[in-house]
Amino acid sequence: MDKFMLIDGNSIIYRAFFAMQQPMTTSAGLHTNAVYGFTNMLLRVLEEHKPTHVMVAFDAGKITFRHSSYEEYKGGRQKTPPELSEQFPLLKDLLTAFGISHYQLEGYEADDIIGTLSLQAEQKGCEVLVLSGDKDMLQLASEHVRIALTRKGVSEIEQYGPAEVEERYGLTPAQIIDLKGLMGDASDNIPGIPGVGEKTALKLLHQFGTVESVLENTDQLKGKMKEKIETHADDARLSKELATIFREVPFDASWDSMKYEGIQAATAVTALQKLEFKSILQRLNLSDVAAHPDATLDELNADAESHVAPMEDLKVTMLDEQHVSELEAVLNTVDVVHVESHGDNPHHAELVGVLFGTPEEYYFLTPDVLKSDAATAIRSWLADDSIPKQGHDLHRADLVLFWDDIAFAGAAFDIQIAAYLLDPTESGQSLSALASKYGLPVLSEDDSVFGKGAKYKVPEQDVLSQHLARKAATIRQLVPLQRDQLEQNEMTPLFSDLEMPLSRILADMEKQGVAVNTDELRALGKEFEQQISKLVAHIYELAGTEFNLNSPKQLGEILFDRLGLPVKKKTKTGYSTSADVLEELAPYHDVVQYILTYRQLAKLQSTYVEGLLKEIHPKSGKVHTYFRQTITATGRLSSQFPNLQNIPIRLEEGRKLRKVFVPSQQGWSMLSADYSQIELRVLAHISDDAGLKDAFVHDMDIHTKTAMDVFGVAQEQVDSNMRRSAKAVNFGIVYGISDYGLSQNLGITRKEAGDFINQYFDVFQGVRRYMDDIVDEAKQHGYVKTMLERRRYLPEIRSSNFNLRSFAERTAMNTPIQGTAADIIKLAMVHMDRALNEHGLKSRMLLQVHDELVFEVPADELEQMKTLVPQVMQDALELSVPLKADVSYGANWYEAK
DNA sequence: ATTTTCACG
DNA sequence: ACGTACGTGAAAATG
């Protein structure tokens, strides 16, 4: 017998929305929580009831036939929140992908469509199940029509037939209409009789049976109730009419179109991926879906239970020295490598083991075995640049192996880099997180296999090798999925021609390291130390007490409680003692200036002198930073252990630290080249602003030029203050300007800052247009792009929260600029690496500091490098304005300024 | 583990 | 009215 399931789409999606209040969005910022709740419920009921026909009905249009008899019908109702209304089309698309029919008809509500269909189905001899969250539906219950009402959001379902309705209310299904006629329904703005709630209504109906009968027999009632019912008799009749589901909707969908033969797996998976429903996808085996595109989910599930091997069955061979040849024999089929290591700093991390994966089998080698004579061929394979390798964080693998004297080359597809490009803000880039993101079989977190922090322990070898094999299996399955997505996003060149080659270049730079003159560094430390101890004594004396100068809390107590200085700013935990606050306090008390100087020197001492000494590698005597390629939201690199991208330069005291960074060989020089105003040049290109472009084409001083245009004066009339202001505006423009930010920076009022910005935009109209357009673009697509198609998703650009939205808007303005600048210097690095090789130069690229490249150069290459480096940098990418790079060199990084 | 401060582009 | 300039990492104190 046919079994028809009718779903009240509006009712269920509303309930799902309000039940799941935690926000849930796709990376592009579409809200999906209601669709998610709906889908989970749908899959559950389909599984449980196995219907032959399914139809989801929706309301259509704002005006229904009910409005003609009662204009205020559904009046006063809260407007559907936009976070929910944007989910209706998503749900309908998903249903289509599932192969489930949905229907709506102008002028009718979902109730009416369901009422009509349930009647027709029943007359055809079908069993009908109606799914809704609305009690009104109970009026449809009959011998062959059961009503399933959701409870607790949509997580539970309660079924009603006529018997259950009788049991619950003591009424027949038809009397449900009368019930509502008397008690009304606030949510639909159906009046009912004031003062009559469920209790009274039920009592009346048990006594009289129908609304009409109640109204005819008011003489049997007495007191207030009699009065109210008599005065609101018409309301009761109207309410009953409104509550009655119309069961003769002119329906033109065919019976066959509602047939349900299981969810089409292939289209369903695509749709679920689009919605990023990880946990739902996780339950499906994607490789099976790919193999059987025409199958339904049920068929695949049945299939999976019968013969797909569970993860436990991965075939892993642990190879000792005697059996390494087994791997040698299949090396040409190895398609995944995973290097497991322990420790955050890859230059000091311990090699735990290496896993080689072929599609058939996995092989695990301990570090000892890999380093043994027996594994020479394996090591040659690892070192062979012409053999492409796939893995997760191969950059780290390369470094870890390097310090164990094992060469690695040929990284072709790094899924960590791919994941970063696909969404640079996604923090969870662990392999396990990626597995769940893509709905692959669950992979244990490293923390749970190894333990966290001090509890880290390498497990038994069978557990270890099994875990690593699962990682390898995950990598193998991920590669084609990411490859497709990169291709779809037109990011394949960015990935293959820029980021992958760069990852090897970075590893080379890091292995090379930078030599540090430790004697000089220690001498600087001594100098700082002497100044610091004098300052501390002085400060204690002026404060009248000793305290921990490094504690903002204690310092705050001294300054504001003990010395009674005015409080300018507070943090969430107490007084702010940041430098800008202290600057303001300096006139009030002599101690403040000493504290500022102390802060400055203490920073240099702890972070740079002591910090740097700690990072000198015992094996090389150099510092080897670790450039991270998958951290920043904009595409920039970051640098760790130590951070060599924030070595002091702005103040002379700190700048001296650059003297300790020296060439690693006698007679060599440090050479540094930096882009001049790269971000503003990028802005000139992207915004196509005539004035800005003109300024760069003529290589003018951009801040002076800005001052001339904004203040409307000649070059000679620009004083240092005007130039300073113009410079601040230019910075602000790049950051995504706000009047508040500029006012803070320049110490002017917000209004003055705002006027200033307006003047700027009046002159640079192309820039204004760019800022407007890019925010619109971000709102429309949910992401912004750099010139090389690097993306950043900005889900909060559609937020109703002003702060979140404003932040996203500034980010939309800044990211294409900062990100394109990052693209450009990365391109320059790839070109530079090639140029050094092609020219057979011994010079080495050592550091990248966002707009600067640092090299060490032998004396006989100095002349050539002085022209080659800026040339390559300037030609990295062609813009509508020239790029400019300045070069300098000297005996150390300080001299190369 | 989080907060505050400060170094850089 | 809201309360920020964009992007990072490290050290120290403190919860």
mmCIF file of all heavy atoms in Angstrom, chain A residues 764-781:
data_model
loop_
_atom_site.group_PDB
_atom_site.id
_atom_site.type_symbol
_atom_site.label_atom_id
_atom_site.label_comp_id
_atom_site.label_asym_id
_atom_site.label_seq_id
_atom_site.Cartn_x
_atom_site.Cartn_y
_atom_site.Cartn_z
ATOM 1 N N PHE A 764 40.190 61.912 -4.492
ATOM 2 C CA PHE A 764 40.478 60.582 -5.051
ATOM 3 C C PHE A 764 39.178 59.812 -5.216
ATOM 4 O O PHE A 764 38.877 58.897 -4.433
ATOM 5 C CB PHE A 764 41.474 59.843 -4.153
ATOM 6 C CG PHE A 764 42.808 60.539 -4.052
ATOM 7 C CD1 PHE A 764 43.116 61.342 -2.963
ATOM 8 C CD2 PHE A 764 43.758 60.396 -5.056
ATOM 9 C CE1 PHE A 764 44.342 61.987 -2.867
ATOM 10 C CE2 PHE A 764 44.992 61.045 -4.974
ATOM 11 C CZ PHE A 764 45.281 61.846 -3.881
ATOM 12 N N GLN A 765 38.436 60.190 -6.243
ATOM 13 C CA GLN A 765 37.093 59.627 -6.399
ATOM 14 C C GLN A 765 37.117 58.160 -6.814
ATOM 15 O O GLN A 765 36.211 57.406 -6.503
ATOM 16 C CB GLN A 765 36.294 60.455 -7.396
ATOM 17 C CG GLN A 765 36.048 61.847 -6.849
ATOM 18 C CD GLN A 765 35.074 62.643 -7.701
ATOM 19 O OE1 GLN A 765 34.298 62.070 -8.459
ATOM 20 N NE2 GLN A 765 35.139 63.952 -7.572
ATOM 21 N N GLY A 766 38.200 57.798 -7.515
ATOM 22 C CA GLY A 766 38.328 56.394 -7.900
ATOM 23 C C GLY A 766 38.481 55.520 -6.666
ATOM 24 O O GLY A 766 37.973 54.398 -6.617
ATOM 25 N N VAL A 767 39.170 56.046 -5.677
ATOM 26 C CA VAL A 767 39.365 55.287 -4.439
ATOM 27 C C VAL A 767 38.021 55.132 -3.725
ATOM 28 O O VAL A 767 37.682 54.049 -3.252
ATOM 29 C CB VAL A 767 40.394 55.976 -3.521
ATOM 30 C CG1 VAL A 767 40.512 55.231 -2.206
ATOM 31 C CG2 VAL A 767 41.748 56.047 -4.219
ATOM 32 N N ARG A 768 37.256 56.229 -3.691
ATOM 33 C CA ARG A 768 35.934 56.141 -3.064
ATOM 34 C C ARG A 768 35.089 55.081 -3.775
ATOM 35 O O ARG A 768 34.450 54.248 -3.139
ATOM 36 C CB ARG A 768 35.228 57.491 -3.135
ATOM 37 C CG ARG A 768 33.760 57.393 -2.744
ATOM 38 C CD ARG A 768 33.069 58.738 -2.827
ATOM 39 N NE ARG A 768 33.158 59.449 -1.560
ATOM 40 C CZ ARG A 768 33.055 60.759 -1.430
ATOM 41 N NH1 ARG A 768 32.873 61.500 -2.493
ATOM 42 N NH2 ARG A 768 33.121 61.323 -0.250
ATOM 43 N N ARG A 769 35.113 55.076 -5.090
ATOM 44 C CA ARG A 769 34.314 54.119 -5.851
ATOM 45 C C ARG A 769 34.772 52.685 -5.517
ATOM 46 O O ARG A 769 33.961 51.798 -5.300
ATOM 47 C CB ARG A 769 34.423 54.385 -7.352
ATOM 48 C CG ARG A 769 33.317 53.720 -8.136
ATOM 49 C CD ARG A 769 33.322 54.098 -9.626
ATOM 50 N NE ARG A 769 33.792 55.444 -9.898
ATOM 51 C CZ ARG A 769 34.944 55.732 -10.528
ATOM 52 N NH1 ARG A 769 35.725 54.758 -10.929
ATOM 53 N NH2 ARG A 769 35.302 56.981 -10.729
ATOM 54 N N TYR A 770 36.101 52.507 -5.444
ATOM 55 C CA TYR A 770 36.610 51.170 -5.107
ATOM 56 C C TYR A 770 36.081 50.726 -3.747
ATOM 57 O O TYR A 770 35.610 49.600 -3.594
ATOM 58 C CB TYR A 770 38.144 51.162 -5.084
ATOM 59 C CG TYR A 770 38.702 49.982 -4.322
ATOM 60 C CD1 TYR A 770 38.681 48.702 -4.878
ATOM 61 C CD2 TYR A 770 39.189 50.131 -3.017
ATOM 62 C CE1 TYR A 770 39.150 47.614 -4.158
ATOM 63 C CE2 TYR A 770 39.659 49.051 -2.294
ATOM 64 C CZ TYR A 770 39.637 47.796 -2.877
ATOM 65 O OH TYR A 770 40.086 46.725 -2.155
ATOM 66 N N MET A 771 36.156 51.609 -2.764
ATOM 67 C CA MET A 771 35.742 51.242 -1.409
ATOM 68 C C MET A 771 34.251 50.856 -1.393
ATOM 69 O O MET A 771 33.864 49.879 -0.759
ATOM 70 C CB MET A 771 35.985 52.409 -0.444
ATOM 71 C CG MET A 771 37.465 52.770 -0.292
ATOM 72 S SD MET A 771 38.432 51.469 0.490
ATOM 73 C CE MET A 771 40.109 52.073 0.287
ATOM 74 N N ASP A 772 33.436 51.628 -2.116
ATOM 75 C CA ASP A 772 32.008 51.300 -2.181
ATOM 76 C C ASP A 772 31.787 49.976 -2.901
ATOM 77 O O ASP A 772 31.040 49.111 -2.444
ATOM 78 C CB ASP A 772 31.244 52.416 -2.915
ATOM 79 C CG ASP A 772 31.223 53.708 -2.099
ATOM 80 O OD1 ASP A 772 31.534 53.642 -0.887
ATOM 81 O OD2 ASP A 772 30.902 54.769 -2.671
ATOM 82 N N ASP A 773 32.462 49.838 -4.048
ATOM 83 C CA ASP A 773 32.250 48.636 -4.861
ATOM 84 C C ASP A 773 32.697 47.369 -4.148
ATOM 85 O O ASP A 773 32.037 46.334 -4.227
ATOM 86 C CB ASP A 773 33.011 48.752 -6.195
ATOM 87 C CG ASP A 773 32.372 49.801 -7.109
ATOM 88 O OD1 ASP A 773 31.289 50.293 -6.758
ATOM 89 O OD2 ASP A 773 32.966 50.114 -8.156
ATOM 90 N N ILE A 774 33.825 47.449 -3.469
ATOM 91 C CA ILE A 774 34.365 46.217 -2.876
ATOM 92 C C ILE A 774 33.471 45.737 -1.739
ATOM 93 O O ILE A 774 33.304 44.532 -1.538
ATOM 94 C CB ILE A 774 35.844 46.412 -2.424
ATOM 95 C CG1 ILE A 774 36.503 45.051 -2.166
ATOM 96 C CG2 ILE A 774 35.950 47.260 -1.165
ATOM 97 C CD1 ILE A 774 36.838 44.284 -3.418
ATOM 98 N N VAL A 775 32.870 46.696 -1.010
ATOM 99 C CA VAL A 775 31.963 46.302 0.067
ATOM 100 C C VAL A 775 30.705 45.665 -0.535
ATOM 101 O O VAL A 775 30.228 44.630 -0.053
ATOM 102 C CB VAL A 775 31.620 47.518 0.955
ATOM 103 C CG1 VAL A 775 30.466 47.193 1.888
ATOM 104 C CG2 VAL A 775 32.851 47.943 1.753
ATOM 105 N N ASP A 776 30.203 46.253 -1.619
ATOM 106 C CA ASP A 776 29.043 45.651 -2.296
ATOM 107 C C ASP A 776 29.368 44.248 -2.784
ATOM 108 O O ASP A 776 28.578 43.315 -2.622
ATOM 109 C CB ASP A 776 28.650 46.503 -3.517
ATOM 110 C CG ASP A 776 27.864 47.732 -3.093
ATOM 111 O OD1 ASP A 776 27.492 47.809 -1.900
ATOM 112 O OD2 ASP A 776 27.633 48.609 -3.947
ATOM 113 N N GLU A 777 30.537 44.128 -3.375
ATOM 114 C CA GLU A 777 30.951 42.833 -3.912
ATOM 115 C C GLU A 777 31.020 41.796 -2.795
ATOM 116 O O GLU A 777 30.566 40.666 -2.951
ATOM 117 C CB GLU A 777 32.319 42.993 -4.583
ATOM 118 C CG GLU A 777 32.758 41.781 -5.378
ATOM 119 C CD GLU A 777 34.169 41.967 -5.917
ATOM 120 O OE1 GLU A 777 34.479 43.080 -6.420
ATOM 121 O OE2 GLU A 777 34.973 41.017 -5.817
ATOM 122 N N ALA A 778 31.595 42.210 -1.664
ATOM 123 C CA ALA A 778 31.700 41.291 -0.533
ATOM 124 C C ALA A 778 30.312 40.882 -0.053
ATOM 125 O O ALA A 778 30.068 39.715 0.262
ATOM 126 C CB ALA A 778 32.493 41.936 0.595
ATOM 127 N N LYS A 779 29.394 41.834 -0.030
ATOM 128 C CA LYS A 779 28.029 41.518 0.422
ATOM 129 C C LYS A 779 27.373 40.533 -0.529
ATOM 130 O O LYS A 779 26.664 39.627 -0.123
ATOM 131 C CB LYS A 779 27.193 42.801 0.478
ATOM 132 C CG LYS A 779 27.553 43.671 1.675
ATOM 133 C CD LYS A 779 26.380 44.502 2.173
ATOM 134 C CE LYS A 779 26.711 45.112 3.525
ATOM 135 N NZ LYS A 779 27.172 46.499 3.460
ATOM 136 N N GLN A 780 27.650 40.733 -1.808
ATOM 137 C CA GLN A 780 26.998 39.896 -2.814
ATOM 138 C C GLN A 780 27.559 38.478 -2.831
ATOM 139 O O GLN A 780 26.819 37.511 -2.847
ATOM 140 C CB GLN A 780 27.190 40.552 -4.177
ATOM 141 C CG GLN A 780 26.121 40.169 -5.164
ATOM 142 C CD GLN A 780 26.430 40.760 -6.541
ATOM 143 O OE1 GLN A 780 27.056 41.818 -6.642
ATOM 144 N NE2 GLN A 780 26.022 40.060 -7.570
ATOM 145 N N HIS A 781 28.901 38.371 -2.830
ATOM 146 C CA HIS A 781 29.510 37.046 -2.969
ATOM 147 C C HIS A 781 29.854 36.388 -1.643
ATOM 148 O O HIS A 781 30.058 35.184 -1.595
ATOM 149 C CB HIS A 781 30.782 37.141 -3.805
ATOM 150 C CG HIS A 781 30.543 37.577 -5.222
ATOM 151 N ND1 HIS A 781 31.087 38.735 -5.739
ATOM 152 C CD2 HIS A 781 29.798 37.039 -6.205
ATOM 153 C CE1 HIS A 781 30.689 38.878 -6.989
ATOM 154 N NE2 HIS A 781 29.896 37.859 -7.299
#
